Amino acid sequence: MIERIHTSARMSKIVKHGNTVYLCGQVGDGQTVTEQTKDCLSRVEALLAEAGSSKHHMLQAIVWLADMADFTEMNAVWDTWVPEGAAPARACGESKLARPELKVEVTVTAALAE
């Protein structure tokens, strides 16, 4: 069974299939990479909780940066947010994001909490 949560014509914020949770890409508010990363990860955490999961159950994360020069700044936030021993498989790349003011976008796949 597939469950879609917060669905619009374009996308769902959360899709649950079996014991897996898929989140749409999350961006954050703020002027700096640090501010946007903190806000975006807070949104990821809230969506995971709503879906019955948590950052402790992340399987994979994909991080998109508007500029790879921001990699170290984003990682400074990421490293304090990811629970010790629960780091997901992760990829990070540079991409033109949906709006020019966006600096970071994160999408996560997680297992349901047991």
Side-chain angles (χ1 to χ4, degrees):
M1 182 174 133
I2 299 172
E3 180 182 0
R4 300 174 199 285
I5 303 169
H6 303 298
T7 300
S8 68
R10 182 173 294 147
M11 66 181 187
S12 299
K13 287 189 178 183
I14 303 167
V15 175
K16 294 166 66 172
H17 179 256
N19 291 325
T20 307
V21 175
Y22 304 87
L23 301 185
C24 69
Q26 295 299 303
V27 297
D29 293 327
Q31 298 300 311
T32 68
V33 172
T34 296
E35 291 169 343
Q36 288 190 20
T37 303
K38 284 180 180 178
D39 192 47
C40 140
L41 294 177
S42 175
R43 293 173 191 214
V44 165
E45 200 163 352
L47 288 171
L48 287 172
E50 182 177 353
S53 188
S54 75
K55 63 184 179 178
H56 292 83
H57 294 86
M58 289 187 297
L59 302 170
Q60 181 182 45
I62 301 171
V63 180
W64 293 109
L65 296 172
D67 186 340
M68 283 304 289
D70 296 328
F71 185 71
T72 300
E73 186 177 349
M74 178 277 299
N75 273 328
V77 176
W78 176 268
D79 291 345
T80 61
W81 181 77
V82 173
E84 186 174 337
R90 190 186 95 168
C92 183
E94 182 178 288
S95 179
K96 186 173 183 178
L97 300 179
R99 297 187 316 270
E101 68 273 14
L102 295 176
K103 300 177 184 302
V104 61
E105 181 172 351
V106 177
T107 187
V108 167
T109 303
L112 286 174
E114 298 171 354

